[in-house]
Amino acid sequence: MIYAEVLAGGKGTRMGNINMPKQFLTLQGKPIVVHTVEKFLLNNRLDKILVVSPREWIHHTKDILAKWIGEDSRLVVVEGGQDRNESIMSGIRYIESEFGLDDEDVIITHDSVRPFVTHRILEENIDAVLKYGAVDTAVAAVDTIIESDESQNFIETVPVRQKMFQGQTPQSFNVKKLVEHYQALSLEQKALLTDACKIFSISGSKVRIVRGEYFNIKITTPHDLKIAEALFDEKKVQHD
């Protein structure tokens, strides 16, 4: 089966003084997470779409999805974990308990605050994960990337820009391989994980790159929210 997991467990600490996690803030009058879930519902290849939410926000998540989307048998809200990767695993535990796990099962994971994901990106993630087992979405780096030393005050290396990419989501995985690699990590390795693709990289497994879009932004700051509003306004003008 092909599962999707929309990760809505962030607390939005970089968004400033707000009274709710950033995924519940409104964009064009609608919660950001609803915009994102709507993109996934348009893809008929997805068998189940999990929205992973913090325990204290589960009822709110269910309420806004019911209000804006209504009943959909593919949609389910699941309690998240302590961090991003534990939230992914929480969704997988739900899948295993409800449907069992097969060798061919894959999962498309995505940030709830990236509402501009496209049908093309989702389709290419599905095709690639079925073939390669692990996929990251990324765009080519435009600026030169520099790596600092431990002090973060001096340059240690300047990697070749042509080989540099900026990671986005979705990130997609064969479910059983993801669980196997994650369980093999030490607690110290798990603590250093910044995203799920690193689970495969640490294990020595290859991760296929799918080209993202520069407008597939992650809304984490008030400035990002202003850009997102402008992107929606631009699309409206194009469609008028």
Side-chain angles (χ1 to χ4, degrees), residues 11 20 56 68 94-95 133 177 196 238-239:
K11 292 183 170 58
M20 62 178 62
E56 59 271 33
W68 291 98
Y94 170 83
I95 291 169
K177 287 182 181 176
Q238 290 174 348
H239 289 134

Side-chain angles (χ1 to χ4, degrees), residues 94-152:
Y94 170 83
I95 291 169
E96 187 171 19
S97 67
E98 293 294 318
F99 312 106
L101 287 181
D102 293 327
D103 290 344
E104 305 304 317
D105 288 343
V106 296
I107 191 163
I108 317 300
T109 70
H110 187 63
D111 299 323
S112 62
V113 288
R114 286 191 193 269
F116 297 104
V117 64
T118 67
H119 185 70
R120 192 271 301 167
I121 292 175
L122 289 177
E123 282 291 296
E124 290 189 9
N125 263 262
I126 294 170
D127 291 340
V129 74
L130 290 172
K131 184 173 182 179
Y132 298 101
V135 179
D136 198 2
T137 303
V139 292
V142 175
D143 296 318
T144 296
I145 304 295
I146 60 173
E147 181 178 355
S148 75
D149 62 11
E150 290 296 329
S151 74
Q152 299 186 4

